[in-house]
Amino acid sequence: MFNLSNFGPLDLVILQTTSFCNLDCDYCYLPDRHLKNQFSLDLIEPVFRRIFESPFVGVCFTVCWHAGEPLAVPISFYETALAQIAELDKTLNKTGCEIGQSVQTNATLITPAWCDLFKRYNVQVGVSIDGPDFIHDAHRKTRTGLGTHHSTMRGIRHLQEQDVPFNIITVITEDSLDYADEMFEFFMDHGLTDVGFNIEELEGVHQSSSLANTEARKRYKAFIQRFWDLTAQSGGALKLREFERICSLIYNGDRIPRSGLTTPFVILNVDHQGNFSTFDPELLAIKTAEYGDFILGNVLTDSLESVCQSEKFQRIYGDITAGVELCQQTCDYYGLCGGGSASNKYWENGTFRSSQTMACQYYEQAIADLVVERLEDSLGLTHV
């Protein structure tokens, strides 16, 4: 039996607005992005009742509208949903927990009306764009095979003209690795200065990655070194999430005791039918031979804490914990990630009971090695 006091606190609630996406990116992990399933507004109240009745509520959490393309549903959906959440915050939230709102979008559907909604409800906006058009359009296409860079940039201009703050998520593929200068200049030229890099991962229905080879790792190292140098030369005008995170851990002497991606109910994922899971959001829509699906319950019938007693949860959590312990015992970088991502382990290694992944090497190890090396250079120290 697990101690629920070791779970949470809730940090992120991911709601699957729709499984549908108007794009067909070739590195996407979602299996049903052609289906127009939509989150029911009737689920808003049960979701938030389950959250506030649970023992996992802390001082704050963010609701992220995600999954397919969340703006593929009408604005009226969000007008109703966000107003409902604001009312439920008043009636159900007894501890004063702060609720933030966010959306991750490809930006192709953004209009001034969407910008008005974002401002009225203080929605944090994340935009997916992979850099200049020749890199972006190689992978982020419409369902008829057309590039989407122009449409994404149109949405970004709407955000900028309406003074809506946003950040950028860029997927790094093999096609990116020779173009650190071009990518940096693109971001700077267009005022895109809050950037995060995701790598092309082996995950879900995406069963291969252009980065899964030794030569790509060498090229990535050179790419990220050049990006650091360009960032330093800019005086920090561009903030790269990966650099900022590692530098913060080093400067403050902090370490991560355990990843939120492997700790139950730090993240709550809810699909369009009210089915929910925890751990990595990418697991919600996936089925496997070993575990079946990763759905633990439904907000209409199950409390969050009740599913922790189920055989399925205990098996999944036991296997994930074994993998985290293996990381802690064998990896010098453990304090930077706290055991990493369970889904990366499963898709790359075939089991949660494993440690290092390609994602570890790109996200944690390469970045940490570079940052330490550059900091030592700045202090005149000899590299060990």
Side-chain angles (χ1 to χ4, degrees):
M1 191 64 63
F2 300 113
N3 186 347
L4 296 187
S5 66
N6 294 328
F7 299 172
L10 192 63
D11 179 62
L12 186 62
V13 176
I14 294 184
L15 301 182
Q16 185 190 70
T17 316
T18 177
S19 57
F20 177 75
C21 187
N22 59 321
L23 305 192
D24 192 22
C25 304
D26 60 15
Y27 48 55
C28 185
Y29 66 89
L30 290 170
D32 297 324
R33 58 187 185 272
H34 61 290
L35 299 177
K36 295 186 177 181
N37 301 312
Q38 183 172 321
F39 192 91
S40 171
L41 289 168
D42 293 336
L43 290 171
I44 297 291
E45 192 273 344
V47 167
F48 284 86
R49 185 170 295 281
R50 293 300 186 189
I51 288 171
F52 285 115
E53 289 177 349
S54 80
F56 308 127
V57 175
V59 296
C60 64
F61 65 82
T62 298
V63 176
C64 181
W65 303 92
H66 202 351
E69 170 47 49
L71 305 193
V73 304
I75 291 179
S76 58
F77 169 89
Y78 290 99
E79 294 277 8
T80 303
L82 295 174
Q84 253 187 286
I85 292 170
E87 285 303 310
L88 292 167
D89 184 22
K90 296 175 185 177
T91 58
L92 299 178
N93 184 358
K94 306 301 183 183
T95 64
C97 173
E98 293 186 12
I99 304 175
Q101 296 286 342
S102 68
V103 63
Q104 184 64 39
T105 174
N106 60 45
T108 61
L109 303 174
I110 290 177
T111 63
W114 280 109
C115 294
D116 178 65
L117 178 87
F118 298 150
K119 288 197 289 187
R120 280 189 288 119
Y121 286 96
N122 195 28
V123 178
Q124 303 170 52
V125 180
V127 172
S128 299
I129 187 168
D130 288 354
D133 54 4
F134 70 95
I135 298 175
H136 178 99
D137 286 344
H139 300 280
R140 301 186 64 82
K141 300 178 185 292
T142 67
R143 294 188 171 276
T144 58
L146 301 176
T148 62
H149 192 268
H150 177 77
S151 298
T152 298
M153 287 303 300
R154 181 185 61 221
I156 285 173
R157 284 192 294 273
H158 284 309
L159 293 170
Q160 292 172 327
E161 289 166 1
Q162 299 294 322
D163 294 320
V164 177
F166 63 96
N167 60 69
I168 296 296
I169 294 293
T170 292
V171 176
I172 301 299
T173 66
E174 189 176 30
D175 293 330
S176 315
L177 300 183
D178 294 328
Y179 299 104
D181 287 73
E182 290 83 353
M183 290 180 67
F184 185 86
E185 290 168 9
F186 168 78
F187 293 136
M188 292 295 291
D189 288 348
H190 293 90
L192 310 177
T193 57
D194 184 356
V195 180
F197 285 165
N198 287 353
I199 67 163
E200 179 191 4
E201 296 179 355
L202 291 157
E203 202 156 47
V205 297
H206 187 57
Q207 294 292 298
S208 63
S209 169
S210 62
L211 300 178
N213 61 80
T214 302
E215 182 60 29
R217 284 195 288 275
K218 291 178 182 177
R219 291 173 60 203
Y220 176 78
K221 182 178 180 180
F223 167 85
I224 207 69
Q225 287 175 338
R226 179 59 180 162
F227 214 88
W228 171 278
D229 293 340
L230 291 167
T231 302
Q233 291 167 19
S234 76
L238 184 147
K239 305 293 185 186
L240 186 70
R241 176 189 61 189
E242 286 63 42
F243 294 159
E244 295 294 310
R245 192 181 76 83
I246 294 294
C247 285
S248 176
L249 289 170
I250 292 172
Y251 290 154
N252 295 317
D254 292 336
R255 294 296 181 266
I256 298 172
R258 179 158 176 161
S259 167
L261 294 171
T262 62
T263 303
F265 293 106
V266 170
I267 301 173
L268 173 67
N269 315 297
V270 187
D271 73 10
H272 68 280
Q273 296 176 298
N275 299 314
F276 66 85
S277 69
T278 185
F279 310 118
D280 299 68
E282 292 85 356
L283 295 174
L284 180 60
I286 302 298
K287 294 183 179 180
T288 67
E290 186 172 359
Y291 298 99
D293 61 42
F294 291 94
I295 293 169
L296 299 174
N298 188 287
V299 295
L300 297 176
T301 56
D302 304 292
S303 68
L304 304 188
E305 59 270 32
S306 69
V307 304
C308 299
Q309 314 303 324
S310 70
E311 182 180 348
K312 176 189 275 191
F313 172 86
Q314 296 197 30
R315 181 183 174 207
I316 293 170
Y317 182 51
D319 288 351
I320 288 174
T321 296
V324 171
E325 290 172 351
L326 186 60
C327 289
Q328 193 168 21
Q329 293 162 7
T330 61
C331 183
D332 292 337
Y333 299 83
Y334 179 84
L336 302 180
C337 70
S341 162
S343 67
N344 287 136
K345 292 179 181 182
Y346 184 82
W347 295 113
E348 290 190 40
N349 301 332
T351 176
F352 293 134
R353 292 175 172 267
S354 61
S355 54
Q356 181 170 271
T357 63
M358 178 185 77
C360 297
Q361 294 172 320
Y362 281 88
Y363 283 128
E364 311 297 342
Q365 297 174 16
I367 301 292
D369 289 347
L370 169 64
V371 171
V372 170
E373 181 180 300
R374 290 298 192 262
L375 291 176
E376 288 178 344
D377 286 343
S378 71
L379 296 171
L381 300 176
T382 302
H383 301 155
V384 177

